[in-house]
Amino acid sequence: MKPWIMFTKHLEGWDLPRIIDGLKRGGVQGADLCVRPGYLVNPENAKTALPEAAKRFADEGLCIPLITTPGDFTDAGMDYAQPLFEACAEAGVKFVKLGYWYMEEGGYWATIDRCRTRLEGFAKLAEKTGVKPVVHNHSGKTMGLNSSSVMNIMKGFDPALVGVFTDVGHLSIVGEPYE
């Protein structure tokens, strides 16, 4: 059985014992850990803080199968991209939810091409680390606002190297039926 996990975005400012206690009291088995500036684990300290958090979670019978990165984490060439993926590998975190791409100069298809080029960089990190980047469908003006747009980004990629985080809440906002 897959673990039930909770997104920790709403626990900003909580320390590790409080997060662990909150997750356990909530009846979940782990976390989609928010790894963003202002959080206990962030891009700057992830190299040490993420493996430490994963160990503390495991000691309490919890897991961290997924992390959520800052909304602008959209390029594998960013300074902290490789160290973050390496920290995930060390901590046993299998999935990294990427940030959000938006329309750029040149229109839709030119932007999709740039998104795909950036996703290729993340696929290379996945090959090196065994940690899979996932594209999150997100409502609003993101390039992945529904299943069709996400599939334009993902088309032809090896699903062993990149995946999709299907967010039915955001799909419902844009009016897409879950099926």
Side-chain angles (χ1 to χ4, degrees), residues 34-48:
C34 202
V35 177
R36 292 178 170 168
Y39 287 83
L40 179 69
V41 180
N42 57 65
E44 291 74 32
N45 73 9
K47 182 131 179 86
T48 56

Side-chain angles (χ1 to χ4, degrees), residues 19-21 23-24 28-31 54 57-64:
I19 291 171
I20 289 169
D21 182 59
L23 294 174
K24 290 173 84 171
V28 298
Q29 292 80 47
F57 268 56
D59 290 347
E60 295 290 332
L62 299 171
C63 63
I64 305 172

Side-chain angles (χ1 to χ4, degrees), residues 118-136:
R118 293 178 189 132
L119 192 56
E120 285 173 12
F122 284 115
K124 289 177 184 170
L125 282 178
E127 285 179 314
K128 290 179 187 175
T129 63
V131 176
K132 185 187 287 192
V134 293
V135 176
H136 176 206

Side-chain angles (χ1 to χ4, degrees), residues 3 5 9-11 13 15 20 38 40 45 71 78 81 96 108 114 116-117 123 130 135 153 156 163 170:
I5 63 173
K9 176 181 177 180
H10 307 291
L11 307 182
D15 65 13
I20 289 169
L40 179 69
N45 73 9
M78 294 175 78
V96 172
Y108 181 81
R114 286 189 284 273
R116 290 176 53 75
T117 297
V135 176
I153 295 169
H170 282 286

Side-chain angles (χ1 to χ4, degrees), residues 95 98 119 132-136 150 154 158-165:
F95 303 98
L98 302 177
L119 192 56
K132 185 187 287 192
V134 293
V135 176
H136 176 206
V150 169
M154 300 293 294
D158 181 347
L161 297 178
V162 295
V164 176
F165 180 92

